[in-house]
């Protein structure tokens, strides 16, 4: 097993342990039915946190593997390089003055001449629903075709979590 698989499996096992604890809290025999119901209700946001953490951590491990390869931009998938350059260089807001444009060109040249070092921060857009998970996969050139079958249940889970987390009864 390679380092990536080992890290992902270790993280998954830890998270499954966390889920088992959450589950056990909802059936404690010494708790009243009201307390069990509350434990079940608020285990949903906790379960979501475990889920989102798994996604973020998995992609961090993926980025670590990419970074460890000391690859050049030409060795990477266009999705990865595009996301990295636009984020790192704020290309969504190009400079207006000529001097700032020259500095940006210098940064691009420097960036292109060095091995790629992607940031470990994984932006989830505040929630990992089906669309956001697809966006993350696309940014990191990960095939997301198999996710379609989870679309309805993942969105339902997130909506349920959001209602609870934002105080709905």
């Amino acid at each position: 097993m390679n380092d990536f698989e080992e890290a992902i499996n270790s993280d998954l096992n830890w998270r499954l342990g966390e889920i088992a604890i959450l589950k056990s809290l909802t059936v404690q025999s010494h708790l009243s039915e009201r307390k069990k119901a509350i434990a079940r209700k608020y285990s949903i946001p906790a379960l979501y946190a475990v889920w989102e953490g798994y996604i973020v951590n998995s992609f961090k491990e993926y980025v670590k593997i990419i970074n460890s390869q000391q690859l050049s931009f030409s060795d990477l998938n266009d999705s990865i390089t595009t996301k990295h350059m636009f984020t790192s260089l704020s290309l969504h807001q190009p400079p207006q003055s000529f001097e700032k444009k020259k500095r940006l060109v210098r940064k691009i040249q420097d960036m292109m001449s060095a091995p790629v070092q992607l940031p470990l921060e994984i932006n989830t857009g505040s929630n990992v629903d089906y669309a956001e998970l697809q966006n993350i996969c696309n940014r990191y050139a990960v095939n997301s075709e198999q996710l379609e079958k989870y679309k309805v249940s993942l969105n339902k889970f997130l909506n349920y979590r959001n209602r609870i987390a934002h105080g709905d009864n």
Side-chain angles (χ1 to χ4, degrees):
M1 185 179 307
N2 65 38
D3 291 342
F4 176 72
E5 289 175 309
E6 195 172 301
I8 296 301
N9 285 331
S10 175
D11 185 55
L12 181 59
N13 288 333
W14 174 78
R15 290 175 191 284
L16 290 172
E18 296 289 293
I19 291 169
I21 291 169
L22 285 171
K23 183 179 177 183
S24 73
L25 291 174
T26 66
V27 294
Q28 296 287 318
S29 61
H30 68 281
L31 295 177
S32 70
E33 287 305 311
R34 173 148 168 69
K35 287 180 180 179
K36 287 180 191 178
I38 289 172
R40 281 191 299 274
K41 177 180 178 180
Y42 289 104
S43 67
I44 300 299
L47 183 59
Y48 173 80
V50 172
W51 152 253
E52 183 175 319
Y54 179 71
I55 295 301
V56 168
N57 193 60
S58 295
F59 278 94
K60 279 184 184 178
E61 291 298 325
Y62 181 59
V63 167
K64 285 178 187 178
I65 295 297
I66 292 170
N67 287 344
S68 73
Q69 300 294 310
Q70 297 288 296
L71 301 170
S72 69
F73 275 93
S74 63
D75 295 327
L76 287 173
N77 180 285
D78 287 345
S79 294
I80 296 172
T81 57
T82 300
K83 187 256 184 219
H84 179 55
M85 290 189 82
F86 269 77
T87 302
S88 299
L89 299 171
S90 299
L91 294 179
H92 56 280
Q93 297 174 330
Q96 299 303 310
S97 77
F98 188 71
E99 287 304 312
K100 288 182 180 179
K101 288 178 182 180
K102 283 180 8 185
R103 285 195 295 270
L104 177 60
V105 168
R106 171 54 58 200
K107 284 182 184 178
I108 292 171
Q109 288 171 329
D110 291 345
M111 185 180 264
M112 297 296 286
S113 65
V116 175
Q117 284 298 299
L118 303 173
L120 291 178
E121 181 182 327
I122 307 300
N123 183 352
T124 62
S126 76
N127 285 312
V128 181
D129 59 4
Y130 173 78
E132 186 56 33
L133 183 55
Q134 279 212 299
N135 287 336
I136 294 168
C137 287
N138 290 337
R139 288 191 306 257
Y140 292 99
V142 172
N143 185 334
S144 62
E145 289 174 8
Q146 296 295 315
L147 297 176
E148 180 70 32
K149 61 186 170 190
Y150 302 107
K151 181 178 183 176
V152 172
S153 55
L154 181 54
N155 287 339
K156 183 177 177 181
F157 173 49
L158 181 64
N159 288 332
Y160 191 54
R161 173 263 181 196
N162 285 344
R163 288 195 312 269
I164 293 167
H166 298 140
D168 283 2
N169 193 6

